[in-house]
Amino acid sequence: MIICGLKLTHDGAVALIEDGKLVFSIEMEKLNNHPRYKDIEDTKDVLDILTDYGIDPSTIDYFAIDGWGGDDEEALAVQPRLKVMKDFNTLSISNHGERFELKIGQYEENSKTDNLLKEWSFDGLKIADQEFSYTSYLHAAGHVVSAYCTSEFAKKGESSYVLVWDGGMYPRLYYFDMVEKKFENLGPIFLLIGNIYTIFSQHFGPFKVNGNFAKDNLSIAGKVMAYIALGEVKRELFTYFDEIYNNDYTHPMGFGNVFANKFKERIQGMGYSDEDILCTFHAFLEEMLINKLQKKIQRHKGKSRNLCIAGGCALNIKWNSAIRNTDLFDTVYVPPFPNDSGSAIGAACCAMIQKTGQSYLDWSVYSGPDVIQNEPAEGWVHRDCSVKELSRLLFESNEPIVLLNGKAELGPRALGNRSIIASPISEKMKNILNDIKNREDYRPVSPICLEEKAKDVFKPGISDPFMLFDHEVRDEWKEKIPAVIHLDGTARLQTVHDGNRILRELLEEFEGVSEIPVLCNTSANFKGTGFFPDVFSASKWDKVNYIWCNHTLYEKQNKQIFS
């Protein structure tokens, strides 16, 4: 059975599942240097992707489309193609330039008793000269189901909790009963939707916008998470946050600005720094999440020791780590695509469960588009280069190198196939990498490390293949790998086992010449776009002297000097 999942709004993507295995998931931002979060506005994009994989749309058994929606003007301003209806929504889209209205499912359940896997069946998906029937599922369902179906819990046939917190929804806890093959909605943790983090932050520090009204901005949260290392938690401010939450709550989509403006009124003239305010707000939300999650689990008598986390807020590694550090769960899993980059996979998984009863997806994180090994821009030469030679070049040159290899990773984190890598030994390397990427100096650089060596270097140093948890660098290693240490002493670690043969070999060879089983890793892309799709783009970027792609080294003839 072939199922094609479609995410048509921001973070647009096409995912294909065949007989319970993920064949690919192609995010639009990872094609042709498209901008981050690009949506699908024309089904020609769907046809082009399927054609590239030799798939005729008529051979697909089920198309599954992610739902979308909103309940006020602010939500609709984010997606003007959307119309909110009573029983379903519609999305304006094109088929080779001809506009049509596509019926889709809604954003989330209307009540706690609604079926998470509610299925809308429609006709009218137009692709070229063909028209297809399709199903659509709640947007919330895509997050919940993609997290569970890609987990080891599903593979082992175990039940699990799933915590989902997305930009447009409250943090909500579900329980998947593996015996009944049914998701139970256990209700919200508290009544703040995820975008309050970004909207509140846009009233302070370098994220400040003009006026008293901020809109959701998908690029802000990660920067804030780094910026708060400059501040300190001022616990006396928790009182004001609690008062506003308890006394001034209005409605979910607009409350972020209300919250920020009420808070500014209360602390006016008190002299708190923006860094401290944002650091404290982060800590306030974290503690509320932990405390109320614990109460929710206790109320439901701890049905499982497994937890999956999904939704855009699951990209917050500090909150993930805080949950993992409690004694509530034995294992906490976050997929590499917890935000909307995984929604096409989620829609396809909803159909997989509904149509086949199968709840585990056989998948690899490296299921994105293949790298295009084309000719570089003028001024570059190339030669064969083994992984061993690359490791020595990294050590001896002490320069960043773009690494392009095989299929792109899924989700927003570069996990070694579309990365800029470098030696972590020099403290200057963090500044070099932030400078060539035109990033703020407070932004961290992530480490990649051999999984079996991670506990020696990091704490806790346990398996973390998708770079979604916080780790501390052990004292005895701080002087050895200063480039990957954040301002607060933490590191967003990626552990490498056997899933990426090239990356593993590179780390082993680098350890052989340096005695360091760690490299710097950050994404390879133009500012504001998805990962480089090809060699030409990386050479046109022109910020490094070396590009390595599929055992070929591309070297710039007129080299720049890194100091």
Side-chain angles (χ1 to χ4, degrees):
M1 178 179 290
I2 301 176
I3 303 169
C4 181
L6 301 178
K7 173 65 158 73
L8 301 176
T9 48
H10 74 74
D11 290 285
V14 179
L16 196 85
I17 294 174
E18 184 171 8
D19 296 331
K21 183 175 183 178
L22 181 66
V23 179
F24 62 77
S25 181
I26 307 299
E27 301 155 44
M28 292 302 296
E29 70 170 49
K30 291 174 184 171
L31 299 173
N32 304 318
N33 298 299
H34 282 152
R36 292 287 311 278
Y37 321 114
K38 179 174 171 55
D39 57 4
I40 295 177
E41 297 188 51
D42 197 308
T43 57
K44 181 182 182 299
D45 293 329
V46 178
L47 179 62
D48 288 344
I49 289 169
L50 294 175
T51 301
D52 284 346
Y53 281 82
I55 297 166
D56 185 328
S58 65
T59 65
I60 292 172
D61 296 292
Y62 295 100
F63 283 95
I65 299 179
D66 177 70
W68 197 248
D71 59 3
D72 66 5
E73 292 181 2
E74 182 182 341
L76 298 182
V78 175
Q79 185 48 263
R81 296 160 53 200
L82 181 76
K83 290 182 181 177
V84 176
M85 315 291 280
K86 181 180 179 181
D87 299 318
F88 57 85
N89 297 330
T90 66
L91 190 70
S92 176
I93 192 168
S94 295
N95 175 31
H96 286 69
E98 291 189 19
R99 304 298 291 181
F100 69 100
E101 296 293 314
L102 190 69
K103 296 176 182 178
I104 59 173
Q106 296 169 330
Y107 193 89
E108 59 186 332
E109 307 99 312
N110 293 317
S111 72
K112 186 177 174 181
T113 58
D114 284 355
N115 178 15
L116 176 69
L117 291 178
K118 178 179 179 179
E119 187 175 81
W120 284 265
S121 296
F122 299 118
D123 297 319
L125 174 60
K126 299 177 182 179
I127 302 177
D129 58 354
Q130 300 182 78
E131 190 167 312
F132 300 92
S133 300
Y134 62 97
T135 55
S136 189
Y137 298 91
L138 294 166
H139 179 69
H143 285 309
V144 173
V145 174
S146 65
Y148 179 77
C149 288
T150 58
S151 71
E152 285 294 306
F153 316 135
K155 188 175 184 179
K156 296 174 182 177
E158 298 175 354
S159 300
S160 177
Y161 289 106
V162 183
L163 172 65
V164 59
W165 192 11
D166 201 31
M169 67 178 71
Y170 305 138
R172 189 179 298 147
L173 190 65
Y174 294 84
Y175 176 72
F176 182 71
D177 188 316
M178 188 64 190
V179 176
E180 298 290 332
K181 295 288 181 73
K182 183 179 178 180
F183 285 96
E184 181 184 357
N185 183 347
L186 303 180
I189 307 295
F190 51 79
L191 303 182
L192 295 174
I193 64 174
N195 73 12
I196 194 170
Y197 190 72
T198 56
I199 289 176
F200 180 91
S201 298
Q202 289 175 83
H203 289 259
F204 302 96
F207 315 107
K208 191 179 297 182
V209 297
N210 292 327
N212 294 319
F213 182 80
K215 294 182 179 180
D216 200 3
N217 184 325
L218 298 173
S219 68
I220 292 292
K223 296 178 183 179
V224 176
M225 191 169 57
Y227 180 78
I228 60 174
L230 298 171
E232 295 181 1
V233 175
K234 303 295 183 180
R235 297 197 66 87
E236 66 271 20
L237 296 179
F238 278 32
T239 300
Y240 299 111
F241 293 143
D242 279 324
E243 286 177 357
I244 296 168
Y245 175 64
N246 292 320
N247 301 327
D248 296 294
Y249 188 84
T250 53
H251 60 288
M253 285 303 290
F255 189 54
N257 284 296
V258 172
F259 197 106
N261 288 320
K262 293 285 185 182
F263 177 74
K264 286 187 290 186
E265 290 174 8
R266 282 167 166 77
I267 65 158
Q268 189 172 10
M270 293 185 181
Y272 287 102
S273 71
D274 287 359
E275 297 95 317
D276 289 349
I277 289 170
L278 291 179
C279 182
T280 304
F281 186 62
H282 176 103
F284 169 76
L285 291 177
E286 180 179 297
E287 288 195 16
M288 182 185 287
L289 182 62
I290 296 298
N291 293 337
K292 292 186 179 293
L293 176 61
Q294 185 171 21
K295 290 178 181 177
K296 178 78 73 172
I297 294 291
Q298 290 171 347
R299 193 177 308 130
H300 291 278
K301 300 178 180 170
K303 297 181 179 183
S304 174
R305 297 285 295 177
N306 300 327
L307 176 70
C308 303
I309 311 179
C313 294
L315 291 173
N316 192 309
I317 63 171
K318 296 187 178 298
W319 293 344
N320 293 345
S321 298
I323 293 172
R324 187 164 73 174
N325 291 339
T326 68
D327 62 358
L328 293 172
F329 310 102
D330 294 331
T331 307
V332 176
Y333 166 72
V334 186
F337 39 74
N339 64 339
D340 284 16
S341 63
S343 292
I345 295 173
C349 285
C350 288
M352 180 180 74
I353 289 178
Q354 292 287 71
K355 308 302 181 185
T356 72
Q358 181 174 336
S359 54
Y360 170 66
L361 179 67
D362 184 5
W363 68 289
S364 165
V365 68
Y366 301 103
S367 297
D370 269 309
V371 68
I372 301 170
Q373 192 165 353
N374 51 9
E375 291 297 315
E378 188 176 348
W380 291 72
V381 296
H382 64 274
R383 61 179 174 84
D384 292 341
C385 180
S386 68
V387 174
K388 185 174 183 177
E389 290 174 299
L390 176 62
S391 69
R392 186 165 292 279
L393 179 62
L394 282 164
F395 179 66
E396 293 178 350
S397 71
N398 199 31
E399 291 188 20
I401 296 175
V402 170
L403 174 61
L404 306 177
N405 175 57
K407 295 181 183 295
E409 43 278 86
L410 304 179
R413 306 277 197 247
L415 300 173
N417 277 13
R418 301 292 184 271
S419 292
I420 305 169
I421 53 172
S423 167
I425 298 171
S426 170
E427 190 172 4
K428 295 180 180 178
M429 185 55 69
K430 183 195 294 186
N431 293 332
I432 290 172
L433 290 169
N434 279 335
D435 183 58
I436 65 174
K437 294 206 67 181
N438 193 24
R439 299 194 311 191
E440 300 84 356
D441 59 6
Y442 61 78
R443 301 280 292 277
V445 170
S446 299
I448 49 177
C449 180
L450 291 168
E451 184 169 292
E452 64 272 22
K453 300 295 178 71
K455 286 188 177 182
D456 297 333
V457 183
F458 302 94
K459 187 167 56 176
I462 57 180
S463 177
D464 188 358
F466 307 135
M467 205 188 290
L468 285 165
F469 293 90
D470 230 1
H471 300 254
E472 293 180 17
V473 178
R474 294 188 183 275
D475 289 342
E476 60 270 29
W477 280 88
K478 288 181 178 178
E479 292 185 0
K480 298 178 182 179
I481 53 171
V484 297
I485 304 175
H486 190 31
L487 299 172
D488 60 5
T490 64
R492 190 174 69 187
L493 171 66
Q494 176 195 354
T495 58
V496 177
H497 188 45
D498 296 327
N500 189 320
R501 182 180 57 82
I502 294 294
L503 202 58
R504 179 169 183 82
E505 183 182 352
L506 180 61
L507 285 164
E508 290 172 340
E509 294 290 351
F510 185 78
E511 184 184 25
V513 296
S514 67
E515 299 184 346
I516 305 288
V518 175
L519 285 167
C520 298
N521 175 30
T522 188
S523 60
N525 58 287
F526 293 111
K527 188 174 180 65
T529 74
F531 303 152
F532 291 137
D534 58 7
V535 169
F536 178 79
S537 299
S539 65
K540 194 72 175 175
W541 182 55
D542 205 33
K543 294 292 183 71
V544 297
N545 294 322
Y546 301 101
I547 301 163
W548 190 92
C549 179
N550 295 341
H551 296 90
T552 300
L553 184 72
Y554 299 83
E555 184 175 352
K556 189 160 64 173
Q557 291 177 298
N558 185 19
K559 288 187 173 63
Q560 64 186 97
I561 298 173
F562 295 97
S563 57

